[in-house]
């Protein structure tokens, strides 16, 4: 397996690194952490420039990248310690693409890439056992249960929930 970046991936990394150095001073990161909030201005900039759609198919408004490109985004944003739910949102979008079923999956990913939805995972339950989920979906489609410690819950518009 070749883990060397190609020219496009290097450009992606360097462009994002430059953007973050200019747009995200460390004082801004400290302020977001102190106020316990996501960096809305950075999130808007990432959306405006199309970064969030990078690993998703072009047919859904993405950049036709993949997991490696998603990893570059995550690494560079984490390197700057920026307070945005990039891991959470990308994980939800990529999970939906790979495991989601039903007619709404592609529309959710399209809205996620466009910034119309911010989906974060909600999986941890009181029993802390992923093999014994208590959250359940009824035959009518109603979800019932409780989730704990949902990162960026207040920033999210939707949650991807583990249930049975």
């Amino acid at each position: 397996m070749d883990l060397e970046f190609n020219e496009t991936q290097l450009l992606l990394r360097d462009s994002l690194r430059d953007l973050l150095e200019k747009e995200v001073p460390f004082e801004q990161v400290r302020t977001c952490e102190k106020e316990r909030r996501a960096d809305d201005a950075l999130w808007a900039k990432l959306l405006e420039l199309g970064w969030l759609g990078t690993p998703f198919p072009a047919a859904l408004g993405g950049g036709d990248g993949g997991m490696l490109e998603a990893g570059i985004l995550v690494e560079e944003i984490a390197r700057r310690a920026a307070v945005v739910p990039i891991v959470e949102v990308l994980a939800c979008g990529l999970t939906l693409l790979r495991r989601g079923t039903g007619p709404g999956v592609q529309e959710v990913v399209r809205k996620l890439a466009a910034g119309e939805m911010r989906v974060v995972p909600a999986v941890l339950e009181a029993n802390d056992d992923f093999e014994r989920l208590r959250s359940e979906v009824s035959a009518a489609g109603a979800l019932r249960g409780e989730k704990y410690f949902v990162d960026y819950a207040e920033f999210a518009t939707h949650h991807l929930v583990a249930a049975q």
Side-chain angles (χ1 to χ4, degrees):
M1 173 181 255
D2 182 9
L3 295 178
E4 294 294 319
F5 293 155
N6 64 34
E7 189 175 328
T8 303
Q9 292 161 340
L10 288 171
L11 181 61
L12 172 72
R13 183 198 66 193
D14 295 345
S15 298
L16 183 56
R17 187 175 290 177
D18 290 345
L19 171 77
L20 292 168
E21 286 177 7
K22 291 175 188 161
E23 298 285 331
V24 186
F26 287 119
E27 188 55 40
Q28 183 173 323
V29 172
R30 287 185 201 98
T31 299
C32 288
E33 288 177 341
K34 184 178 179 183
E35 295 174 0
R36 302 181 66 136
R37 63 174 179 81
D39 188 336
D40 294 323
L42 175 59
W43 191 256
K45 192 70 164 181
L46 293 171
L47 287 168
E48 174 190 335
L49 298 173
W51 292 106
L52 191 59
T54 299
F56 302 119
L60 300 177
D64 262 347
M67 291 300 288
L68 188 54
E69 288 76 14
I72 291 169
L73 292 173
V74 169
E75 181 176 32
E76 289 305 314
I77 290 171
R79 184 176 178 272
R80 193 68 184 176
V83 185
V84 292
I86 193 74
V87 170
E88 293 79 3
V89 171
L90 291 181
C92 286
L94 292 167
T95 298
L96 285 169
L97 279 177
R98 286 176 170 73
R99 300 285 184 200
T101 59
V105 169
Q106 289 189 348
E107 186 60 24
V108 169
V109 174
R110 184 184 331 288
K111 288 182 176 185
L112 190 149
E116 297 170 20
M117 293 177 79
R118 292 183 304 265
V119 183
V120 300
V123 294
L124 184 65
E125 296 183 355
N127 64 11
D128 196 23
D129 183 352
F130 296 118
E131 299 298 320
R132 295 182 301 126
L133 294 174
R134 292 185 179 184
S135 294
E136 59 187 36
V137 179
S138 72
L143 177 66
R144 181 179 175 94
E146 293 181 13
K147 299 296 181 179
Y148 294 85
F149 308 111
V150 178
D151 289 335
Y152 295 99
E154 67 285 346
F155 186 77
T157 59
H158 295 79
H159 295 97
L160 182 60
V161 178
Q164 55 187 7

